[in-house]
Amino acid sequence: GDEVAAPLVFQCKACRAILGDSFAWVCSLQELKTVTLSAAANNLDILSRLETSQEELDLGSTYNTLQCKCGAAVGRVYKTTARHLDLVRDLFTFKIDCITSYQLGTGAKRSVEDGACGPTPQMLQDTLIKVQQVILVMNEKIAALEKAADAQAEEAKRQKRK
């Protein structure tokens, strides 16, 4: 079908420049292997030369070639069409073989355990245990230093008495 679940970004296959997105979605025609949008990015040129299709599926239709800023031909703007292609006339029709698409929201997902939504209670407990262990070790070291300092002070007092 023509339903798009999540927004898509369409890019030039040659240079990856953004050509448009699915917010301007009109239709896709599987027989032509095209995607048609009602709007497109500013980095496209519509060539002024009007051409007539010699291909069977859109035979006799006239169009201007859509060219990416990198020079790659990425689609057509149909000017005259057979009745079954009327819905794509004067719109931006991209050839699927010339573009790539990226569905927004399909990047790597981080789970809650990875901290994407803040620390979990388990993460907080683990951190608390580590902090407690460090405090205990530091307390033992301080106690040992105090004991050594007290012993040195007692030794100094004994030395003075002699």
Side-chain angles (χ1 to χ4, degrees), residues 132-147:
Q132 287 174 336
Q133 289 171 344
V134 169
I135 290 172
L136 289 173
V137 169
M138 298 303 265
N139 192 37
E140 289 173 8
K141 287 184 178 184
I142 290 171
L145 288 171
E146 286 176 341
K147 188 175 179 182

Side-chain angles (χ1 to χ4, degrees), residues 22-133:
S22 60
F23 290 111
W25 182 269
V26 175
C27 66
S28 65
L29 297 173
Q30 290 184 2
E31 64 275 9
L32 287 178
K33 295 183 181 170
T34 61
V35 170
T36 301
L37 306 178
S38 60
N42 292 333
N43 55 8
L44 281 170
D45 287 326
I46 301 171
L47 301 185
S48 59
R49 182 170 174 240
L50 195 62
E51 300 183 51
T52 303
S53 177
Q54 303 300 317
E55 298 169 30
E56 184 178 334
L57 295 168
D58 61 353
L59 186 65
S61 297
T62 59
Y63 63 90
N64 298 97
T65 298
L66 274 176
Q67 185 174 300
C68 177
K69 64 180 181 178
C70 72
V74 293
R76 299 173 171 179
V77 175
Y78 284 98
K79 295 301 177 183
T80 61
T81 58
R83 189 171 310 243
H84 72 282
L85 294 176
D86 281 353
L87 74 160
V88 300
R89 189 180 305 139
D90 294 319
L91 300 175
F92 300 91
T93 300
F94 295 96
K95 293 184 175 206
I96 292 173
D97 296 341
C98 301
I99 62 171
T100 61
S101 62
Y102 176 78
Q103 187 171 10
L104 298 180
T106 57
K109 293 184 178 124
R110 289 174 43 181
S111 67
V112 172
E113 288 75 29
D114 291 335
C117 297
T120 63
Q122 184 62 49
M123 291 168 68
L124 289 173
Q125 185 176 3
D126 293 347
T127 303
L128 186 59
I129 289 169
K130 289 176 188 175
V131 170
Q132 287 174 336
Q133 289 171 344

Side-chain angles (χ1 to χ4, degrees), residues 150-160 162:
D150 287 345
Q152 279 185 339
E154 286 296 319
E155 184 62 33
K157 283 182 187 176
R158 270 190 252 137
Q159 292 293 332
K160 277 189 175 178
K162 288 186 181 177

